[in-house]
Amino acid sequence: MRMVDLIAKKRDGHALTTDELDWLIEQYAAGAIPDYQMSAWAMAVVLRGMDDRETTDLTLAMAHSGAMLDLHDLAPITVDKHSTGGVGDKTTLVLAPMVAAAGLPMAKMSGRGLGFSGGTVDKLESIPGLRTKLDAAEFRRLVREVGLVLAAQSDTLAPADQRLYALRDVTATVESLPLIAASVMCKKLAAGADCIVLDVKYGSGAFMHTRDEARQLARTMVAIGNGAGRKVAAVISSMQQPLGRMIGNALEVREAFGALRGGGPPDVVELCLSLGVQLVRLAGLRDDDAAARALLQDVLASGTAWAKFCQMVAAQGGDVTCLVDPDRLPTAPVQIALPAPQAGFVAAIDGMALGLAVNELGGGRAHKDAAINPAVGLALWAKVGDPVYLGQSILTIHAATRAEAERVVPRLLSAYTFSAAPVSPPPLIEEIVS
Ligand code: URA
């Protein structure tokens, strides 16, 4: 087979066969297909799509491009979670210790920033010293000893996705239902969890812009997971505005600390409870939503979820003094307020514009090997529905320099829409697909 022929076949709108997809992924994982050809193919998929059979074949080929973990010798049931990506999404940092504290071991491989959205690994690495690159032996040891591990995708687990994910980040090929479904599900299948909850986001701050697209993506991923013998539920959640108030790596870690310590923005806590309820139900720990929610509320209120998070940070080499003094996390030297350009009610916030502004401040990557600045980001003081007066600070820009902060101001202002009449905030959870 020749890669150029497969690119042309997809460019012309035809479905690739199972053999062709197996070959393509095997060759890419082996380094025999160059990134420029893979980018061209990914763009053809973005433009032409894939049918369900191709999406499943691509997922399985990517899952089998590396090791397939089996954690059953460590725990009878393990759980996992994945988000399709959104602006200000720090749910893993809160949800994972919650469910682990409730007694469900969480062994999660997370990603770095993707397009305009951040990634859990970049967020975690803003805790000085915290290691996310763990070998298989350490990953397994932490599942056994801590019951919670948040790691970067190892080189041996779904390596084809690891390469393709980094490539999609910088080639404008993220926004594709089959590529997202395959990328998410290949990692979940390879990481070996029995029960998986998916946070499928839609809206301006997500890769799926409409609820129908999100529903389609959720159904596709649930079907792939069920087909592979896993219990899967998907929560369709709104990204019609960023989640919580902080956007940017270290800022989001601080906000997650708050949520785990009994504070934190209500939308972050509510989304984590809703996702957690699905995992507790799938794992059979409680058999109705109210009891599952009560269990999770209890681990938050009693401090056991926070204690589990602290244990994980220590076990992965993170500086535990940051846990007692979050001011030790990376902090941007320049912080300037953005005044509201008019009085009224915040009617809409374009999450993608804010995510791109954070990337421009240095919080995301412009090319594959770029370093990021964990300290930069945005703190939002007004969200959809909030009344504001002229000149009120609607957000604070955290930047490396004043010039960099000023450069993103037009983008930030264009992200906000105001209304003279009161506005209701969009609902957070739209639907559960299971
Ligand atoms: N998360 C992933 O792991 N992959 C995607 O493509 C999008 C979100």
Side-chain angles (χ1 to χ4, degrees):
M1 280 184 223
R2 293 191 323 151
M3 184 61 181
V4 64
D5 299 329
L6 301 191
I7 298 170
K9 190 169 175 185
K10 185 43 74 186
R11 178 201 63 202
D12 296 339
H14 303 295
L16 300 196
T17 66
T18 306
D19 284 349
E20 286 168 339
L21 286 164
D22 283 348
W23 178 86
L24 185 155
I25 292 302
E26 194 187 298
Q27 295 295 306
Y28 184 56
I33 292 176
D35 280 348
Y36 58 82
Q37 283 192 311
M38 200 63 181
S39 315
W41 174 79
M43 186 57 86
V45 175
V46 170
L47 299 175
R48 292 301 201 157
M50 277 185 158
D51 63 29
D52 287 349
R53 195 269 311 148
E54 283 181 287
T55 307
T56 304
D57 285 347
L58 177 65
T59 308
L60 296 178
M62 297 213 299
H64 289 281
S65 67
M68 297 289 284
L69 292 186
D70 183 349
L71 304 171
H72 287 111
D73 57 325
L74 305 174
I77 293 184
T78 55
V79 300
D80 200 349
K81 171 267 168 183
H82 209 87
S83 158
T84 55
V87 175
D89 181 7
K90 66 281 297 173
T91 46
T92 293
L93 303 177
V94 182
L95 173 68
M98 270 166 70
V99 294
L104 296 173
M106 165 84 81
K108 175 158 168 48
M109 306 254 181
S110 290
R112 296 192 180 277
L114 185 65
F116 57 80
S117 87
T120 301
V121 168
D122 291 333
K123 291 172 201 185
L124 276 171
E125 287 180 355
S126 61
I127 300 176
L130 191 140
R131 289 178 300 105
T132 57
K133 209 163 168 38
L134 309 175
D135 64 25
E138 189 172 18
F139 187 82
R140 291 171 60 81
R141 181 175 62 75
L142 294 179
V143 178
R144 192 174 52 242
E145 291 176 3
V146 184
L148 171 62
V149 50
L150 297 179
Q153 201 169 339
S154 78
D155 293 343
T156 55
L157 193 117
D161 175 65
Q162 195 165 16
R163 287 192 61 197
L164 183 55
Y165 186 97
L167 197 60
R168 287 169 58 221
D169 182 30
V170 290
T171 54
T173 51
V174 176
E175 286 90 341
S176 153
L177 189 154
L179 292 182
I180 295 175
S183 165
V184 169
M185 290 312 292
C186 77
K187 292 190 279 268
K188 301 300 97 180
L189 299 184
D194 306 282
C195 305
I196 300 162
V197 69
L198 303 168
D199 180 8
V200 182
K201 297 188 174 295
Y202 82 93
S204 66
F207 300 121
M208 296 289 112
H209 293 303
T210 67
R211 195 175 351 169
D212 284 348
E213 287 172 330
R215 190 179 291 128
Q216 183 58 39
L217 175 60
R219 287 184 181 154
T220 303
M221 294 195 292
V222 170
I224 293 172
N226 289 160
R230 312 298 169 89
K231 293 184 184 174
V232 189
V235 173
I236 299 185
S237 69
S238 167
M239 253 294 141
Q240 293 167 88
Q241 61 174 333
L243 187 70
R245 294 194 176 274
M246 302 294 155
I247 310 172
N249 296 297
L251 289 168
E252 292 189 43
V253 167
R254 279 170 191 251
E255 190 165 55
F257 285 9
L260 283 165
R261 301 182 83 166
D267 57 346
V268 173
V269 176
E270 179 52 36
L271 182 56
C272 291
L273 286 171
S274 301
L275 293 163
V277 162
Q278 295 306 315
L279 282 178
V280 170
R281 296 279 313 269
L282 288 176
L285 213 54
R286 295 288 185 277
D287 49 20
D288 68 71
D289 284 10
R293 177 175 274 261
L295 172 68
L296 295 166
Q297 280 169 327
D298 186 51
V299 297
L300 271 183
S302 64
T304 43
W306 172 243
K308 185 57 76 181
F309 183 82
C310 296
Q311 196 187 352
M312 183 269 299
V313 170
Q316 293 186 209
D319 177 356
V320 289
T321 62
C322 293
L323 301 167
V324 270
D325 179 9
D327 287 343
R328 293 176 63 95
L329 290 168
T331 305
V334 173
Q335 296 174 18
I336 62 169
L338 183 74
Q342 65 185 86
F345 295 86
V346 178
I349 304 176
D350 177 354
M352 177 160 81
L354 300 191
L356 289 171
V358 173
N359 277 359
E360 200 177 332
L361 289 168
R365 295 175 181 79
H367 58 85
K368 266 182 16 170
D369 305 313
I372 58 164
N373 182 343
V376 300
L378 305 170
L380 313 186
W381 307 126
K383 295 204 53 184
V384 174
D386 289 347
V388 293
Y389 57 83
L390 176 68
Q392 174 183 337
S393 167
I394 50 173
L395 59 79
T396 302
I397 307 169
H398 292 243
T401 65
R402 193 164 186 91
E404 285 173 23
E406 280 164 2
R407 203 167 52 218
V408 297
V409 166
R411 203 197 273 276
L412 296 177
L413 286 174
S414 74
Y416 279 79
T417 311
F418 298 91
S419 148
V423 176
S424 307
L428 178 65
I429 312 281
E430 292 283 353
E431 190 178 325
I432 311 286
V433 177
S434 57

